[in-house]
Amino acid sequence: MSTAPSRRSEKARQAILEAAFGLCVERGLAATTIEAIAARAGVAKTTIYRWWPSKAAILLEVVEVRRSADGGYPDTGDIMADLATQTANVTRLFETELGAIWRGLIAAAQTEDIAAEGVRRILRGAIDECVARLAKARDAGQIREDLDLEIAVELIYGPIYHTWLLGTRAMSPPFMDSVLDALRPSLQPPPSCGVGPPPVAG
Amino acid sequence: MSTAPSRRSEKARQAILEAAFGLCVERGLAATTIEAIAARAGVAKTTIYRWWPSKAAILLEVVEVRRSADGGYPDTGDIMADLATQTANVTRLFETELGAIWRGLIAAAQTEDIAAEGVRRILRGAIDECVARLAKARDAGQIREDLDLEIAVELIYGPIYHTWLLGTRAMSPPFMDSVLDALRPSLQPPPSCGVGPPPVAG
Amino acid sequence: MSTAPSRRSEKARQAILEAAFGLCVERGLAATTIEAIAARAGVAKTTIYRWWPSKAAILLEVVEVRRSADGGYPDTGDIMADLATQTANVTRLFETELGAIWRGLIAAAQTEDIAAEGVRRILRGAIDECVARLAKARDAGQIREDLDLEIAVELIYGPIYHTWLLGTRAMSPPFMDSVLDALRPSLQPPPSCGVGPPPVAG
Amino acid sequence: MSTAPSRRSEKARQAILEAAFGLCVERGLAATTIEAIAARAGVAKTTIYRWWPSKAAILLEVVEVRRSADGGYPDTGDIMADLATQTANVTRLFETELGAIWRGLIAAAQTEDIAAEGVRRILRGAIDECVARLAKARDAGQIREDLDLEIAVELIYGPIYHTWLLGTRAMSPPFMDSVLDALRPSLQPPPSCGVGPPPVAG
DNA sequence: TCCTAAACGAGACGGTACGTCCTGTCTTAGT
DNA sequence: ACTAAGACAGGACGTACCGTCTCGTTTAGGA
């Protein structure tokens, strides 16, 4: 979220990212103003406007920095278990401070192009990771051959975002278990009808 | 979205709803201000604040009024066909002016309680209709017995909202076909393994 | 400096004029900002911008209000004495707080049309008063018949403003006495050359 | 308006003076910023701040450079004619681009010490020239013996600046003729009452 | 039919934040 | 060593809306 012509003050950048994060945690992204970020960071407004085109851009950078500390997609060899782990991680993350910011960015993305692009970019990375894991699982015979993996990602994460963003229900861990259980027939290869080994067992 | 003590001017109410709708169509909900609505409606700001607590409340009323003109959930007896019809309707609606407003309301709902409640209220109705249709289909043996129907709704609409709100892909009709195809094993009863016809006649 | 549609808050107007005056006294017109005026007056910036087009306009109103408390041009019957009195008053006024503001307005008038018009308007009144007094003196035979009275005003006040604005010398009372003394031959009717009564004595 | 430690880039100095002059001509001194001067001169702001303490200082240097191209005070032997010539030159100059800059510097001088000192310095030279010419005229019997020549300068230039800076009237050549005509009795020696020719031959 | 209380239009008000502009200082590279 | 370039903290600008608050002026019902 910025070009970096070496002349730039890294100290100011850090202060801005931290101030923005702190303010969003305290009052939410929508109630966080650029003036307040500048004030808390001990920085001039101009310094912010010089490097970021909007409030959303700052927070996108915050999210990216923090997200890059993640490990990759879980891989125990058992795709259903890994999906359960990962979706549980996601739902847990959504309840944290970072989740609140992410929610605000998604809201902003409905209006601002900058936010929309940023959100898409971040999601693209996450989706690609998930698709890669699913591809590996498919090679291991754990996922139906005929399933478009991008669609699979929508099936898995669609219900999470639907629930989370629209507040149609509480987003408890049992909920995600139910979703994955329900999706199992769509994800896994069909049973070979009595004879032959069960789908997962080696 | 208002008490209605008979003294209220119906003319003003209509003018406000129309002005609000028109402005949102032209510039989006976020860029629509109460001052602009008042100006276009030829109404005092006070009149708006008297009857609606926020911009979102006005638009929620607009959406409800327009939505009430809908027919109910399609019911041809074939649940998969009806789901295809209905999801196609929804995705088509999302591309219209009303869809843009709905998108703005969902964004507002991430921040404002009023918007959140309104969105939930409207969605509740839609979900209940869908659940009712699914229940009927289950009774007709078209839906797995062990499927929680509220979860089923999430499986079906989650991908739509995920795609639409997060912009992860274009939201074409073939996309929804793929989603429903992929979901088929999870929605329909399992084949009876050899005996009896397969679920989709062929 | 403002239309007055009765809805206007007289309290705010007074507070603004007083705050503006006070701040100009303390830091000078140039260093007085509209934000500071608003803050000191306990008023929103918008309220100032609603009624005055610029800082200069506010101070022009201050000057006019205060100036209207003046008595008219002195008139003892002796024009030279009255000119001495009046120019002494003016030079004294120039050293006061109001004088400092007037100086600032004249500076502003070199740039802004609003200030220029206001300054001209105020000066027009003062000049007209002086011309009227001179006309009366001319009728009394104390001023040369062939002297254009508007020019006379320039002769009298030109040196005052020249000295004051350009800082070419200290502007002491003796200075103005010298100026008036030097101007005497230009203002008064020529002596009737030995025979006849002296110019002023009845 | 600068120390000159030999290391200084004469090219930069010229570029700055020209840029400053050009910008003042185009938009006026008040609207000319140091940033704009630096940009047009192709020079860093630092370079300007190193050598001049303020915008006014730059323009004072511009004015002094251009003014030094003047010839001295006119001297035909006839003081009234020379005054007419010189005041006409001045009023003509005031309408030029340099006049506009001079006007801006006088405005600045009401606020800034640097500008005030510069304006005084420049005026001091002009006044001294005029006083010298008047002294010569007095020796030639063309100016009253008892007239303080510094006061005489105020009488002559006061009306010009009064008119020019305060905009009380158009500053046409006939205006200056009227002023000098009106001042004649104050400047010239009194007629010797009967014997000898009247001051203006006729 | 009149009276009265509400709802209404109009818009001033105190505020907050916006994004821009310029100030004068400072830091970093490049001659 | 001086320069060009430009980042930086600071602060005022004038604008746009916010939501609240009088103002008279309709206007609709109950007396």
Side-chain angles (χ1 to χ4, degrees):
Chain A
M1 218 44 33
S2 63
T3 57
S6 80
R7 310 292 300 272
R8 179 171 184 185
S9 159
E10 181 60 21
K11 206 175 90 187
R13 179 174 162 273
Q14 284 302 337
I16 289 164
L17 294 182
E18 273 159 35
F21 178 75
L23 286 164
C24 282
V25 165
E26 291 169 23
R27 1 211 242 240
L29 196 159
T32 295
T33 67
I34 292 203
E35 294 214 321
I37 295 172
R40 175 171 300 194
V43 139
K45 264 201 295 180
T46 21
T47 302
I48 296 182
Y49 282 111
R50 191 172 359 254
W51 301 110
W52 291 276
S54 77
K55 192 171 58 174
I58 304 172
L59 273 304
L60 280 166
E61 189 164 335
V62 168
V63 169
E64 285 184 301
V65 166
R66 305 211 165 219
R67 223 187 69 87
S68 66
D70 275 14
Y73 215 88
D75 185 353
T76 62
D78 176 351
I79 184 66
M80 291 311 289
D82 289 347
L83 289 176
T85 303
Q86 159 68 3
T87 55
N89 285 347
V90 167
T91 55
R92 207 174 307 120
L93 180 68
F94 281 179
E95 303 306 327
T96 66
E97 298 163 338
L98 203 57
I101 293 174
W102 185 233
R103 179 196 292 275
L105 284 170
I106 291 170
Q110 308 308 314
T111 294
E112 298 171 45
D113 285 351
I114 289 163
E117 281 163 33
V119 164
R120 263 202 300 276
R121 180 162 32 80
I122 290 175
L123 280 175
R124 192 67 255 159
I127 290 173
D128 287 348
E129 280 187 348
C130 183
V131 166
R133 178 66 190 85
L134 288 169
K136 203 178 152 206
R138 183 166 56 185
D139 293 346
Q142 297 176 346
I143 293 285
R144 303 171 75 99
E145 290 292 335
D146 60 345
L147 185 59
D148 179 329
L149 299 183
E150 298 265 347
I151 296 286
V153 173
E154 301 280 340
L155 298 186
I156 296 162
Y157 291 96
I160 298 181
Y161 276 98
H162 188 266
T163 299
W164 183 50
L165 294 176
L166 304 182
T168 46
R169 68 178 59 241
M171 209 180 53
S172 55
F175 163 71
M176 268 319 295
D177 289 347
S178 306
V179 167
L180 286 179
D181 265 0
L183 280 178
R184 199 178 296 266
S186 288
L187 299 177
Q188 293 183 327
S192 43
C193 251
V195 301
V200 179
Chain B
M1 216 45 33
S2 65
T3 58
S6 78
R7 308 293 297 268
R8 180 171 183 185
S9 157
E10 181 59 19
K11 207 176 89 188
R13 178 173 163 274
Q14 284 302 338
I16 290 163
L17 294 182
E18 273 160 36
F21 178 74
L23 286 165
C24 282
V25 165
E26 290 169 23
R27 1 213 240 239
L29 196 158
T32 296
T33 68
I34 293 206
E35 293 216 321
I37 296 172
R40 174 173 298 196
V43 138
K45 267 200 294 178
T46 340
T47 303
I48 296 182
Y49 282 111
R50 191 172 359 252
W51 301 111
W52 291 276
S54 77
K55 191 171 61 175
I58 304 172
L59 273 304
L60 280 166
E61 190 165 334
V62 167
V63 169
E64 286 184 302
V65 166
R66 306 211 165 218
R67 222 187 69 89
S68 66
D70 274 16
Y73 214 91
D75 185 353
T76 62
D78 176 353
I79 185 64
M80 291 312 288
D82 290 347
L83 288 177
T85 303
Q86 157 68 4
T87 54
N89 286 346
V90 166
T91 54
R92 208 173 307 119
L93 180 69
F94 281 178
E95 303 305 328
T96 66
E97 297 163 341
L98 203 56
I101 294 175
W102 185 233
R103 180 196 291 275
L105 285 170
I106 291 171
Q110 309 307 315
T111 295
E112 298 172 44
D113 286 350
I114 290 164
E117 282 163 34
V119 165
R120 264 201 299 277
R121 179 162 32 81
I122 290 175
L123 278 177
R124 193 67 256 159
I127 290 173
D128 287 347
E129 280 186 349
C130 183
V131 165
R133 178 67 190 85
L134 288 170
K136 203 176 151 209
R138 182 166 56 186
D139 292 345
Q142 296 176 342
I143 293 285
R144 301 172 78 100
E145 289 292 333
D146 60 345
L147 184 59
D148 179 330
L149 299 183
E150 297 264 348
I151 295 288
V153 173
E154 302 281 341
L155 297 186
I156 297 161
Y157 291 96
I160 299 181
Y161 275 97
H162 188 265
T163 298
W164 185 50
L165 294 176
L166 304 183
T168 46
R169 68 178 59 240
M171 209 179 53
S172 57
F175 164 69
M176 268 320 295
D177 290 346
S178 306
V179 167
L180 286 179
D181 265 0
L183 280 178
R184 201 179 295 268
S186 289
L187 298 176
Q188 294 184 326
S192 42
C193 239
V195 302
V200 193
Chain C
M1 219 48 31
S2 66
T3 57
S6 82
R7 307 292 303 272
R8 179 171 183 186
S9 159
E10 181 59 22
K11 206 175 90 187
R13 178 174 162 273
Q14 285 301 338
I16 290 163
L17 294 181
E18 273 160 35
F21 178 74
L23 286 165
C24 282
V25 164
E26 290 169 22
R27 1 211 242 240
L29 196 158
T32 295
T33 67
I34 293 203
E35 293 214 321
I37 295 172
R40 175 172 299 194
V43 139
K45 263 201 294 180
T46 25
T47 301
I48 295 182
Y49 283 110
R50 188 169 6 249
W51 300 110
W52 291 277
S54 76
K55 191 171 60 173
I58 304 173
L59 272 304
L60 280 166
E61 189 164 335
V62 168
V63 169
E64 284 184 302
V65 166
R66 306 211 164 218
R67 223 188 69 88
S68 67
D70 276 15
Y73 215 90
D75 186 355
T76 63
D78 176 352
I79 185 63
M80 291 311 287
D82 289 349
L83 288 176
T85 303
Q86 158 67 4
T87 54
N89 285 347
V90 165
T91 54
R92 209 174 306 119
L93 180 68
F94 282 177
E95 303 305 327
T96 66
E97 296 162 342
L98 204 55
I101 292 174
W102 186 232
R103 179 196 292 274
L105 284 170
I106 291 170
Q110 308 308 313
T111 293
E112 300 171 44
D113 286 350
I114 289 163
E117 281 163 34
V119 164
R120 265 202 298 277
R121 180 162 31 82
I122 289 176
L123 279 177
R124 191 68 255 158
I127 290 173
D128 287 347
E129 280 186 348
C130 184
V131 166
R133 178 67 190 85
L134 288 170
K136 203 176 151 207
R138 184 166 56 184
D139 293 344
Q142 296 176 347
I143 293 287
R144 301 171 76 101
E145 289 293 333
D146 61 345
L147 185 59
D148 179 329
L149 299 184
E150 297 265 349
I151 296 288
V153 172
E154 301 280 342
L155 298 186
I156 297 162
Y157 291 96
I160 298 181
Y161 275 97
H162 188 265
T163 298
W164 185 51
L165 294 176
L166 304 183
T168 46
R169 66 179 60 240
M171 209 180 52
S172 57
F175 164 70
M176 268 320 295
D177 289 346
S178 306
V179 167
L180 286 178
D181 266 359
L183 280 178
R184 199 179 296 267
S186 288
L187 298 177
Q188 292 183 327
S192 41
C193 251
V195 302
V200 179
Chain D
M1 216 42 37
S2 66
T3 56
S6 79
R7 304 296 298 266
R8 179 172 184 185
S9 156
E10 180 59 20
K11 205 177 90 188
R13 179 175 163 272
Q14 284 302 337
I16 290 163
L17 294 181
E18 272 159 37
F21 178 74
L23 286 165
C24 282
V25 165
E26 289 168 24
R27 0 211 242 242
L29 195 157
T32 296
T33 68
I34 294 204
E35 294 215 321
I37 295 173
R40 174 171 301 196
V43 138
K45 266 200 299 179
T46 337
T47 305
I48 295 182
Y49 281 111
R50 193 178 347 262
W51 301 110
W52 291 276
S54 78
K55 189 171 62 175
I58 304 172
L59 274 304
L60 280 166
E61 189 164 335
V62 169
V63 169
E64 285 184 302
V65 166
R66 306 212 164 217
R67 222 187 70 88
S68 66
D70 276 13
Y73 214 89
D75 186 354
T76 63
D78 176 352
I79 186 64
M80 291 311 288
D82 290 348
L83 288 177
T85 302
Q86 157 68 5
T87 55
N89 286 346
V90 166
T91 55
R92 210 173 306 119
L93 180 68
F94 282 177
E95 304 305 328
T96 66
E97 297 163 340
L98 204 57
I101 293 174
W102 185 233
R103 180 197 289 276
L105 284 170
I106 291 170
Q110 308 308 313
T111 293
E112 298 171 44
D113 286 351
I114 290 164
E117 281 163 33
V119 165
R120 264 202 299 277
R121 178 162 33 80
I122 290 176
L123 279 176
R124 192 68 255 159
I127 291 173
D128 287 347
E129 281 187 348
C130 183
V131 165
R133 178 67 188 85
L134 287 170
K136 203 176 152 208
R138 183 165 57 185
D139 293 345
Q142 294 176 343
I143 292 287
R144 298 172 78 102
E145 290 290 334
D146 60 345
L147 185 60
D148 179 329
L149 297 184
E150 298 265 348
I151 296 287
V153 173
E154 301 281 340
L155 298 186
I156 296 162
Y157 291 96
I160 298 181
Y161 276 97
H162 188 264
T163 297
W164 185 51
L165 294 176
L166 304 183
T168 46
R169 68 178 59 241
M171 209 179 54
S172 56
F175 164 70
M176 268 319 295
D177 289 348
S178 305
V179 166
L180 286 178
D181 265 0
L183 279 178
R184 201 179 295 268
S186 288
L187 298 177
Q188 294 185 325
S192 43
C193 239
V195 303
V200 193

